[in-house]
Amino acid sequence: MIKHIHNLLVSISILWITAGLWLLEDGLKTLTGVGIVFLVFTLVTTSPKELLLRIKNNKLIILSLLFTAIVIITKEYYGGIYGSFMRSCIIFSILFICIYSHKTNNLRISLPIIFGAILNILYVLYIVYIEGQPRPTAIMNPNIYAPLFGCFAILAFYFIKPNQHNYITITSCFLFLFLLLCVILMQSRGVLAASLFSLCILFIYKLKKYEHKIIITLSLISIVLFSGFMNKNRIEDLYNKSAYEYQRIIEGDLNSSIGLRVQMLDVGLTMISEKPLIGHGSNYTQEKTKIIIEDKKNQEINSYGTLHNVYIDTWAKLGILGFIATIFLTILPLFILKGSEHWVLGLSLSSFNLLISLVDTVLLGGDYLLVIITISLILKYSTLNNKEYA
């Protein structure tokens, strides 16, 4: 009975990370409640000796607890960190301790990811094709939502194995088709470019690993072309919009979407030059506003909470140590999966994180970070039910 309840909580937690955070308002607060319930259940049903053994056997738990403590202290006494990011770190530390158990069933940690991807796909298709909206905007900023589909698409393509015609490969093919379609529907140019680049890494890896090179090539080209054909007008609009904005930049007009990012980069570099070691902390917003006024930048920049570049934004807020920590978060999938059979997926996901972090700050919110960490750790410890992880 205890094992069944444990695995039910595992499934709910992972499904909430992959779907609940994105499709429900206040999803992060609800997940906090789920994490607390899971922690209480674990403490009641697990001996202190076993819990200490779990932590001792897994250095990543120790690192996550240490990192979370640093985030909490920094948030409370210095500023520059979002509350949602702090809560995400706490939730992850709690859930990983609970899930990292011999009671965990492998099926209960993989199926919620698939269901989460399907729920998000259905939501986007409903919004775009049934309600007729250009892109989902009701629940959250679509630029923050878009990276989720890029991450899922990379994961689905990775598990397409031409030498295996089992349910995993078949399911991955269908999911990849619809996820790539959703990436285009989200109309985020940065995520689309990052997704294609990261998929190329996996494509090259598959060509070297598997003999069915023609099948792999034709399959990828067919899916990409089909997704592009289904969204021909949207792709043309994105291209025309990008070309128009670049032309405006050449002519000296920096008030377009891309132009504003150029101005934000300039503001961020100015802030970094003022306090490169410790950053501006809780004075970040005030200092940003002052520089915008002094340098006669577009006042619209003040309406954004970040500078649309993870590295510049974090360095300006938290100094050089914050910048280094952000680099670590970006390559976290590769760090977690190095030495495992899934290392190339870690490389692909880290490359994806790197590219989207140059044009947006989705990593700083916490939701996306939870997804990336959860997927990476599930693959790293895909044998959680082995006694060596007790």
Side-chain angles (χ1 to χ4, degrees):
M1 183 63 178
I2 291 177
K3 187 174 182 178
H4 290 305
I5 297 175
H6 169 86
N7 279 287
L8 176 62
L9 290 171
V10 168
S11 297
I12 293 174
S13 301
I14 296 175
L15 183 60
W16 209 275
I17 289 172
T18 56
L21 289 179
W22 311 91
L23 301 177
L24 299 172
E25 293 184 7
D26 294 327
L28 189 59
K29 292 181 180 179
T30 306
L31 182 60
T32 304
V34 173
I36 292 173
V37 171
F38 202 172
L39 179 61
V40 171
F41 174 80
T42 301
L43 292 175
V44 171
T45 59
T46 308
S47 67
K49 182 179 179 181
E50 182 180 338
L51 285 174
L52 290 175
L53 187 60
R54 286 185 197 177
I55 298 174
K56 179 181 178 181
N57 288 344
N58 186 1
K59 295 179 181 179
L60 283 175
I61 292 180
I62 299 175
L63 288 175
S64 70
L65 291 172
L66 178 61
F67 182 76
T68 299
I70 294 173
V71 167
I72 293 173
I73 294 171
T74 304
K75 170 70 171 61
E76 295 302 319
Y77 295 99
Y78 191 68
I81 294 177
Y82 290 112
S84 59
F85 183 87
M86 181 183 70
R87 286 195 296 273
S88 297
C89 292
I90 295 173
I91 290 170
F92 161 71
S93 298
I94 291 174
L95 290 180
F96 191 36
I97 291 174
C98 297
I99 294 174
Y100 188 75
S101 167
H102 66 283
K103 301 185 187 76
T104 302
N105 183 287
N106 285 337
L107 199 59
R108 294 299 186 96
I109 60 177
S110 57
L111 286 181
I113 296 178
I114 297 174
F115 290 148
I118 292 173
L119 288 173
N120 283 287
I121 290 171
L122 292 175
Y123 173 69
V124 172
L125 295 181
Y126 172 79
I127 291 296
V128 175
Y129 292 115
I130 303 300
E131 290 198 352
Q133 298 181 23
R135 62 203 296 215
T137 57
I139 300 178
M140 67 178 67
N141 186 327
N143 290 326
I144 295 176
Y145 193 19
L148 177 68
F149 293 97
C151 173
F152 277 144
I154 293 168
L155 186 66
F157 182 66
Y158 174 75
F159 280 101
I160 298 176
K161 300 181 179 180
N163 63 333
Q164 297 179 11
H165 302 288
N166 53 25
Y167 76 95
I168 295 179
T169 295
I170 295 173
T171 302
S172 297
C173 282
F174 281 104
L175 284 176
F176 177 60
L177 172 63
F178 286 104
L179 286 166
L180 191 57
L181 180 65
C182 288
V183 168
I184 299 175
L185 289 175
M186 295 304 295
Q187 300 182 54
S188 174
R189 289 168 288 186
V191 171
L192 180 58
S195 299
L196 294 177
F197 179 83
S198 301
L199 288 172
C200 285
I201 293 176
L202 293 180
F203 174 67
I204 295 171
Y205 169 78
K206 286 178 180 291
L207 286 180
K208 292 182 177 180
K209 182 174 182 179
Y210 300 110
E211 296 179 357
H212 306 76
K213 292 179 173 53
I214 296 178
I215 295 177
I216 296 172
T217 303
L218 291 178
S219 298
L220 179 60
I221 292 176
S222 299
I223 291 176
V224 171
L225 290 178
F226 176 77
S227 299
F229 177 77
M230 290 290 292
N231 290 277
K232 180 181 178 182
N233 293 335
R234 288 184 174 85
I235 293 177
E236 288 180 351
D237 290 341
L238 287 175
Y239 174 80
N240 293 332
K241 180 181 178 182
S242 299
Y244 173 68
E245 291 184 2
Y246 279 120
Q247 184 60 38
R248 288 177 63 181
I249 292 175
I250 293 174
E251 295 173 356
D253 182 0
L254 298 179
N255 295 313
S256 62
S257 176
I258 298 176
L260 286 175
R261 281 173 165 79
V262 174
Q263 293 187 62
M264 290 179 191
L265 177 63
D266 188 37
V267 171
L269 292 175
T270 300
M271 296 179 71
I272 290 172
S273 65
E274 292 178 348
K275 290 187 176 182
L277 296 180
I278 62 173
H280 294 276
S282 58
N283 296 322
Y284 166 83
T285 302
Q286 180 182 351
E287 184 61 25
K288 182 180 72 171
T289 302
K290 186 186 80 172
I291 293 174
I292 291 172
I293 295 174
E294 291 178 350
D295 293 351
K296 298 180 180 179
K297 303 294 185 184
N298 192 318
Q299 294 294 318
E300 187 179 346
I301 298 176
N302 277 324
S303 65
Y304 297 99
T306 69
L307 296 171
H308 281 72
N309 182 302
V310 169
Y311 311 108
I312 298 297
D313 193 81
T314 307
W315 198 341
K317 289 176 179 175
L318 302 173
I320 187 65
L321 291 179
F323 171 75
I324 294 173
T326 304
I327 294 290
F328 173 74
L329 291 178
T330 303
I331 63 171
L332 196 55
L334 180 59
F335 175 79
I336 293 175
L337 294 172
K338 68 179 179 66
S340 74
E341 61 178 311
H342 305 298
W343 68 269
V344 71
L345 178 61
L347 175 62
S348 182
L349 289 174
S350 293
S351 300
F352 179 74
N353 291 341
L354 172 65
L355 292 178
I356 63 173
S357 295
L358 293 174
V359 295
D360 220 318
T361 49
V362 65
L363 272 177
L364 303 183
D367 296 4
Y368 175 75
L369 185 63
L370 274 175
V371 174
I372 285 290
I373 292 177
T374 299
I375 290 174
S376 300
L377 287 173
I378 284 174
L379 291 173
K380 175 72 172 181
Y381 301 103
S382 56
T383 53
L384 279 173
N385 56 348
N386 286 351
K387 289 186 178 180
E388 64 180 289
Y389 296 113

